[in-house]
Amino acid sequence: MQRVEQEAVQKRTFTKWINSHLAKHVPPLEVKDLFDDIKDGVMLLALLEILSGQKLPCEQGKKLKRIHWVANIGTALKFLEGRKVRIRLVNINSTDIVDGRPSIVLGLVWTIILYFQIEELTSSLPELQAFSSSNSSLDSSTSSTDTTSPPVKRRPLALQGGARKALLRWVQQTATKCLGLDVKDFGPSWRTGLAFFALINALRPNLVDMERVWRRPNRENLQEAFLLAETELGIPQLLDPEDMDVDKPDEKSVMTYVAQFLKHHPDRKQSDLDEKLEEAVTREQRKSQRELKMWLDQLEKEAVHAQETQGSLAQQYQVSLFKSLQVQLEMKRKQVEGALQSTQRDGMLTVDQALVKQAWERVSNRLLDWHLHLDRSLPAPLGTVGEWLHEAEGALRQEITVQQAHDNTASTVHRALEQHKVSFQQSLSTHLRLTSCFLKYH
């Protein structure tokens, strides 16, 4: 982005940011042309009063002269210096603001935004805590001398860099990382509009259908995201879609807008703790699910090996072969059912859960097929009875869903199914005992 274009974007963004605060003034004020309207210092002092909550002296009137403008701007700069922002006002003086020099005016407004919004809102984020002790020592050195020393010159770089890093990490950890979005700056990473939707989704999960917006045109996403943030979260539309849908969007403008979302985060510190806890739980769940899949895969290999090395019909019915594998699988049933409980908002299974489900179905089907093969191998009429029992068992294994039923009715149906299962299991046990007796005497 060329310098002229960058200044034009910053002018639009900063003007909207100023007006969002001046709307609280009594009576409301509005900046139409930033470089012209800021010259007399009246709007600037009004803005600082709103941001700080302090009353500031101001020369007002329709016939103000340049000397009054310079005085008002001087009052504003001295106020900022008194709040230890002095070191950021290098190369900014009253006459430059009165003359409406674009780069100086934008630099002053950015300083105000950085101090009163971005740093104030990010100061409680963990990433900025490391700067607190060094900042206090720098502040004390600043108060002891009026000359600009090298250590003081480093302070704005540390603070601005710390605030930027803290804000970016908050975005990543709160909104984008969990969705697989790679947001590594406040420029090109925001061009598609998806990162803005991710922020809205993090604060109000039910507002955004992320699947719907994933592949839409950039400007359509940007326009809808800005409108949604304004109507649902009360965040003013500081950015224009056409200013964002470029190769290198202006970082200062994006930071100014994104920082506003911090005000709507319910409890940043608690959220960090909850997120760490959730990540730890998720890691343990994934570890358990992967171990379960490995166990199921191993059981399937043992079943394949046992079938390939099968001996006589009687040997295959022994506990050391088919029965032992079947018992092992049944002992894992509750663990598998627990592992397949969805933790997703949309009710879908994770990749690891889906793999466990597939492994369970494979080994279950293999053992069922093996059981059927054994039953069919028995002489009549045991072979026919065994095949019927196999089909009945398969039907009972299918999931039964009772929908739109009264609680009592559903409970009655459930009890009947359970009784039927018990009866079936008894019949199956009888069948197995008969089979064992048959094999014993043949």
Side-chain angles (χ1 to χ4, degrees):
M1 182 180 292
Q2 298 297 323
R3 180 178 177 180
V4 175
E5 295 175 354
Q6 185 180 41
E7 288 184 348
V9 172
Q10 289 183 6
K11 181 182 180 182
R12 286 192 287 271
T13 302
F14 293 174
T15 297
K16 293 176 183 177
W17 181 83
I18 291 173
N19 284 335
S20 70
H21 291 284
L22 290 181
K24 306 170 188 175
H25 188 271
V26 181
L29 300 175
E30 181 182 9
V31 171
K32 295 181 179 179
D33 188 310
L34 179 60
F35 301 149
D36 285 336
D37 294 348
I38 202 173
K39 289 181 178 180
D40 62 8
V42 175
M43 296 279 197
L44 179 59
L45 287 172
L47 174 65
L48 293 177
E49 285 185 347
I50 294 170
L51 294 174
S52 67
Q54 298 182 29
K55 183 67 177 177
L56 301 175
C58 179
E59 298 285 350
Q60 299 190 55
K62 295 182 179 180
K63 297 182 179 181
L64 291 180
K65 297 182 179 180
R66 182 180 176 87
I67 189 174
H68 300 116
W69 296 4
V70 172
N72 283 340
I73 299 296
T75 299
L77 298 183
K78 287 181 180 179
F79 171 75
L80 293 174
E81 290 172 0
R83 297 180 70 91
K84 299 179 182 178
V85 195
R86 169 168 66 256
I87 42 86
R88 303 193 196 142
L89 301 182
V90 178
N91 298 326
I92 296 178
N93 57 63
S94 300
T95 56
D96 289 330
I97 304 299
V98 170
D99 292 338
R101 291 182 57 185
S103 61
I104 305 300
V105 172
L106 294 174
L108 175 62
V109 176
W110 171 244
T111 297
I112 294 172
I113 293 173
L114 184 63
Y115 181 81
F116 284 98
Q117 176 172 289
I118 297 177
E119 287 181 4
E120 182 175 318
L121 291 174
T122 58
S123 61
S124 62
L125 296 178
E127 291 76 8
L128 209 61
Q129 298 302 316
F131 294 99
S132 59
S133 59
S134 60
N135 288 344
S136 61
S137 62
L138 290 172
D139 290 345
S140 61
S141 65
T142 300
S143 61
S144 62
T145 176
D146 290 333
T147 59
T148 304
S149 59
V152 176
K153 286 184 178 180
R154 289 196 294 268
R155 179 172 174 262
L157 296 177
L159 274 177
Q160 181 172 340
R164 181 186 182 281
K165 180 181 177 181
L167 183 60
L168 183 59
R169 183 165 175 78
W170 175 78
V171 169
Q172 294 168 339
Q173 297 296 329
T174 303
T176 60
K177 186 178 179 180
C178 61
L179 296 176
L181 289 175
D182 184 20
V183 175
K184 54 189 176 182
D185 51 48
F186 286 104
S189 297
W190 300 79
R191 180 175 182 176
T192 63
L194 294 176
F196 294 113
F197 275 121
L199 274 177
I200 298 172
N201 182 65
L203 299 177
R204 298 280 294 276
N206 298 324
L207 286 181
V208 182
D209 182 354
M210 292 302 297
E211 291 186 7
R212 182 176 64 87
V213 304
W214 201 264
R215 295 184 178 180
R216 290 196 315 184
N218 294 349
R219 295 201 181 185
E220 187 176 346
N221 277 343
L222 291 164
Q223 185 173 2
E224 182 176 330
F226 297 157
L227 179 61
L228 194 62
E230 182 176 48
T231 55
E232 298 294 337
L233 299 176
I235 296 176
Q237 297 188 49
L238 305 185
L239 303 175
D240 293 328
E242 56 269 23
D243 291 337
M244 288 299 304
D245 191 16
V246 294
D247 292 337
K248 294 182 179 180
D250 180 62
E251 285 212 355
K252 291 180 180 178
S253 297
V254 176
M255 284 180 65
T256 301
Y257 180 68
V258 171
Q260 296 183 113
F261 285 85
L262 269 173
K263 294 185 292 186
H264 298 271
H265 202 283
D267 187 344
R268 296 191 289 275
K269 293 182 180 179
Q270 184 61 42
S271 177
D272 291 337
L273 293 175
D274 292 344
E275 182 180 348
K276 290 179 181 178
L277 179 60
E278 184 177 350
E279 288 179 353
V281 171
T282 300
R283 282 196 300 270
E284 288 300 316
Q285 288 177 339
R286 294 188 66 184
K287 180 182 177 182
S288 176
Q289 290 161 4
R290 290 176 180 179
E291 290 176 348
L292 185 57
K293 179 186 179 298
M294 291 175 61
W295 184 89
L296 290 168
D297 290 341
Q298 181 60 33
L299 190 70
E300 183 181 13
K301 290 179 182 178
E302 293 177 10
V304 172
H305 178 71
Q307 282 183 285
E308 291 176 348
T309 58
Q310 61 187 2
S312 66
L313 187 62
Q315 289 175 329
Q316 293 179 52
Y317 263 108
Q318 295 305 308
V319 175
S320 60
L321 292 173
F322 170 74
K323 286 185 177 179
S324 66
L325 296 177
Q326 189 178 45
V327 169
Q328 290 181 57
L329 185 66
E330 285 302 316
M331 290 179 65
K332 287 284 185 179
R333 178 178 292 277
K334 287 188 177 181
Q335 184 180 348
V336 171
E337 291 175 349
L340 296 182
Q341 291 293 322
S342 176
T343 57
Q344 305 288 92
R345 290 172 183 166
D346 56 6
M348 301 292 289
L349 297 180
T350 64
V351 173
D352 289 317
Q353 287 177 316
L355 292 175
V356 169
K357 185 173 184 290
Q358 292 172 4
W360 171 266
E361 291 174 348
R362 281 199 309 272
V363 69
S364 296
N365 290 334
R366 177 168 292 278
L367 291 180
L368 285 173
D369 291 341
W370 190 4
H371 195 179
L372 177 60
H373 171 71
L374 294 174
D375 286 348
R376 284 175 173 171
S377 301
L378 295 172
L382 293 178
T384 304
V385 174
E387 186 172 351
W388 176 84
L389 288 172
H390 178 82
E391 292 176 357
E393 184 179 5
L396 284 176
R397 285 180 182 273
Q398 295 180 355
E399 230 178 86
I400 299 176
T401 304
V402 181
Q403 295 181 339
Q404 296 179 345
H406 190 273
D407 290 343
N408 293 333
T409 304
S411 178
T412 301
V413 172
H414 177 71
R415 285 196 301 271
L417 288 173
E418 290 301 315
Q419 291 172 358
H420 183 58
K421 286 183 180 180
V422 171
S423 176
F424 167 75
Q425 291 295 338
Q426 292 173 346
S427 299
L428 180 60
S429 298
T430 302
H431 162 66
L432 292 174
R433 285 198 300 272
L434 289 173
T435 303
S436 298
C437 291
F438 173 82
L439 294 169
K440 181 177 180 181
Y441 292 104
H442 288 78

